[in-house]
mmCIF file of all heavy atoms in Angstrom:
data_model
loop_
_atom_site.group_PDB
_atom_site.id
_atom_site.type_symbol
_atom_site.label_atom_id
_atom_site.label_comp_id
_atom_site.label_asym_id
_atom_site.label_seq_id
_atom_site.Cartn_x
_atom_site.Cartn_y
_atom_site.Cartn_z
ATOM 1 N N PHE A 542 7.346 13.077 -37.993
ATOM 2 C CA PHE A 542 6.585 14.002 -38.831
ATOM 3 C C PHE A 542 7.356 14.306 -40.113
ATOM 4 O O PHE A 542 6.803 14.271 -41.215
ATOM 5 C CB PHE A 542 6.317 15.298 -38.061
ATOM 6 C CG PHE A 542 5.354 16.237 -38.735
ATOM 7 C CD1 PHE A 542 4.024 16.260 -38.371
ATOM 8 C CD2 PHE A 542 5.783 17.107 -39.736
ATOM 9 C CE1 PHE A 542 3.130 17.130 -38.984
ATOM 10 C CE2 PHE A 542 4.906 17.977 -40.357
ATOM 11 C CZ PHE A 542 3.573 17.988 -39.978
ATOM 12 N N GLU A 543 8.649 14.571 -39.973
ATOM 13 C CA GLU A 543 9.480 14.895 -41.136
ATOM 14 C C GLU A 543 9.567 13.719 -42.101
ATOM 15 O O GLU A 543 9.481 13.891 -43.323
ATOM 16 C CB GLU A 543 10.876 15.310 -40.661
ATOM 17 C CG GLU A 543 11.776 15.834 -41.749
ATOM 18 C CD GLU A 543 13.104 16.334 -41.210
ATOM 19 O OE1 GLU A 543 13.393 16.120 -40.008
ATOM 20 O OE2 GLU A 543 13.872 16.936 -41.994
ATOM 21 N N ASN A 544 9.719 12.501 -41.557
ATOM 22 C CA ASN A 544 9.769 11.307 -42.408
ATOM 23 C C ASN A 544 8.455 11.108 -43.154
ATOM 24 O O ASN A 544 8.452 10.768 -44.344
ATOM 25 C CB ASN A 544 10.084 10.062 -41.564
ATOM 26 C CG ASN A 544 11.523 10.027 -41.104
ATOM 27 O OD1 ASN A 544 12.382 10.687 -41.686
ATOM 28 N ND2 ASN A 544 11.800 9.274 -40.058
ATOM 29 N N ASN A 545 7.334 11.293 -42.459
ATOM 30 C CA ASN A 545 6.032 11.154 -43.111
ATOM 31 C C ASN A 545 5.908 12.122 -44.286
ATOM 32 O O ASN A 545 5.412 11.763 -45.359
ATOM 33 C CB ASN A 545 4.902 11.415 -42.106
ATOM 34 C CG ASN A 545 4.664 10.259 -41.170
ATOM 35 O OD1 ASN A 545 4.962 9.118 -41.488
ATOM 36 N ND2 ASN A 545 4.143 10.540 -39.992
ATOM 37 N N TRP A 546 6.331 13.358 -44.071
ATOM 38 C CA TRP A 546 6.218 14.380 -45.108
ATOM 39 C C TRP A 546 7.096 14.039 -46.313
ATOM 40 O O TRP A 546 6.670 14.132 -47.472
ATOM 41 C CB TRP A 546 6.586 15.735 -44.519
ATOM 42 C CG TRP A 546 6.524 16.905 -45.463
ATOM 43 C CD1 TRP A 546 7.509 17.807 -45.713
ATOM 44 C CD2 TRP A 546 5.407 17.330 -46.267
ATOM 45 N NE1 TRP A 546 7.084 18.757 -46.601
ATOM 46 C CE2 TRP A 546 5.796 18.485 -46.970
ATOM 47 C CE3 TRP A 546 4.126 16.833 -46.458
ATOM 48 C CZ2 TRP A 546 4.960 19.164 -47.853
ATOM 49 C CZ3 TRP A 546 3.274 17.506 -47.333
ATOM 50 C CH2 TRP A 546 3.687 18.652 -48.020
ATOM 51 N N ASN A 547 8.322 13.602 -46.047
ATOM 52 C CA ASN A 547 9.230 13.253 -47.144
ATOM 53 C C ASN A 547 8.729 12.047 -47.928
ATOM 54 O O ASN A 547 8.829 12.015 -49.166
ATOM 55 C CB ASN A 547 10.639 12.994 -46.599
ATOM 56 C CG ASN A 547 11.316 14.253 -46.090
ATOM 57 O OD1 ASN A 547 11.006 15.355 -46.543
ATOM 58 N ND2 ASN A 547 12.228 14.108 -45.141
ATOM 59 N N ILE A 548 8.195 11.051 -47.225
ATOM 60 C CA ILE A 548 7.689 9.862 -47.912
ATOM 61 C C ILE A 548 6.449 10.202 -48.734
ATOM 62 O O ILE A 548 6.273 9.719 -49.853
ATOM 63 C CB ILE A 548 7.387 8.741 -46.898
ATOM 64 C CG1 ILE A 548 8.694 8.189 -46.311
ATOM 65 C CG2 ILE A 548 6.593 7.606 -47.542
ATOM 66 C CD1 ILE A 548 8.514 7.202 -45.184
ATOM 67 N N TYR A 549 5.584 11.072 -48.199
ATOM 68 C CA TYR A 549 4.408 11.475 -48.971
ATOM 69 C C TYR A 549 4.838 12.119 -50.290
ATOM 70 O O TYR A 549 4.313 11.806 -51.363
ATOM 71 C CB TYR A 549 3.522 12.448 -48.187
ATOM 72 C CG TYR A 549 2.420 13.014 -49.064
ATOM 73 C CD1 TYR A 549 1.297 12.255 -49.356
ATOM 74 C CD2 TYR A 549 2.546 14.268 -49.656
ATOM 75 C CE1 TYR A 549 0.314 12.736 -50.209
ATOM 76 C CE2 TYR A 549 1.578 14.764 -50.507
ATOM 77 C CZ TYR A 549 0.455 13.993 -50.783
ATOM 78 O OH TYR A 549 -0.505 14.462 -51.639
ATOM 79 N N LYS A 550 5.812 13.034 -50.223
ATOM 80 C CA LYS A 550 6.249 13.728 -51.433
ATOM 81 C C LYS A 550 6.882 12.754 -52.431
ATOM 82 O O LYS A 550 6.758 12.928 -53.646
ATOM 83 C CB LYS A 550 7.247 14.834 -51.065
ATOM 84 C CG LYS A 550 6.602 16.007 -50.330
ATOM 85 C CD LYS A 550 7.565 17.162 -50.141
ATOM 86 C CE LYS A 550 8.682 16.845 -49.186
ATOM 87 N NZ LYS A 550 9.569 18.014 -48.927
ATOM 88 N N LEU A 551 7.529 11.710 -51.922
ATOM 89 C CA LEU A 551 8.138 10.715 -52.805
ATOM 90 C C LEU A 551 7.095 9.904 -53.563
ATOM 91 O O LEU A 551 7.271 9.579 -54.744
ATOM 92 C CB LEU A 551 9.008 9.758 -51.984
ATOM 93 C CG LEU A 551 10.466 10.131 -51.725
ATOM 94 C CD1 LEU A 551 11.092 9.117 -50.786
ATOM 95 C CD2 LEU A 551 11.245 10.184 -53.039
ATOM 96 N N LEU A 552 6.006 9.538 -52.866
ATOM 97 C CA LEU A 552 5.059 8.571 -53.414
ATOM 98 C C LEU A 552 3.824 9.178 -54.061
ATOM 99 O O LEU A 552 3.098 8.487 -54.769
ATOM 100 C CB LEU A 552 4.603 7.605 -52.300
ATOM 101 C CG LEU A 552 5.697 6.806 -51.602
ATOM 102 C CD1 LEU A 552 5.089 5.901 -50.540
ATOM 103 C CD2 LEU A 552 6.492 5.981 -52.604
ATOM 104 N N ALA A 553 3.550 10.464 -53.817
ATOM 105 C CA ALA A 553 2.296 11.044 -54.299
ATOM 106 C C ALA A 553 2.265 11.148 -55.819
ATOM 107 O O ALA A 553 1.228 10.909 -56.445
ATOM 108 C CB ALA A 553 2.090 12.420 -53.663
ATOM 109 N N HIS A 554 3.387 11.528 -56.425
ATOM 110 C CA HIS A 554 3.420 11.735 -57.874
ATOM 111 C C HIS A 554 4.700 11.159 -58.443
ATOM 112 O O HIS A 554 5.770 11.272 -57.843
ATOM 113 C CB HIS A 554 3.331 13.235 -58.207
ATOM 114 C CG HIS A 554 2.114 13.886 -57.646
ATOM 115 N ND1 HIS A 554 0.861 13.723 -58.187
ATOM 116 C CD2 HIS A 554 1.956 14.680 -56.564
ATOM 117 C CE1 HIS A 554 -0.020 14.393 -57.465
ATOM 118 N NE2 HIS A 554 0.620 14.982 -56.477
ATOM 119 N N GLN A 555 4.560 10.543 -59.603
ATOM 120 C CA GLN A 555 5.698 9.882 -60.216
ATOM 121 C C GLN A 555 6.705 10.900 -60.722
ATOM 122 O O GLN A 555 6.356 11.881 -61.373
ATOM 123 C CB GLN A 555 5.258 9.004 -61.389
ATOM 124 C CG GLN A 555 6.399 8.209 -62.012
ATOM 125 C CD GLN A 555 5.921 7.225 -63.058
ATOM 126 O OE1 GLN A 555 4.723 7.185 -63.377
ATOM 127 N NE2 GLN A 555 6.824 6.421 -63.594
#
Side-chain angles (χ1 to χ4, degrees):
F542 189 98
E543 187 175 9
N544 287 339
N545 283 335
W546 180 233
N547 291 334
I548 290 173
Y549 172 78
K550 290 188 292 184
L551 272 174
L552 301 180
H554 303 284
Q555 184 173 4

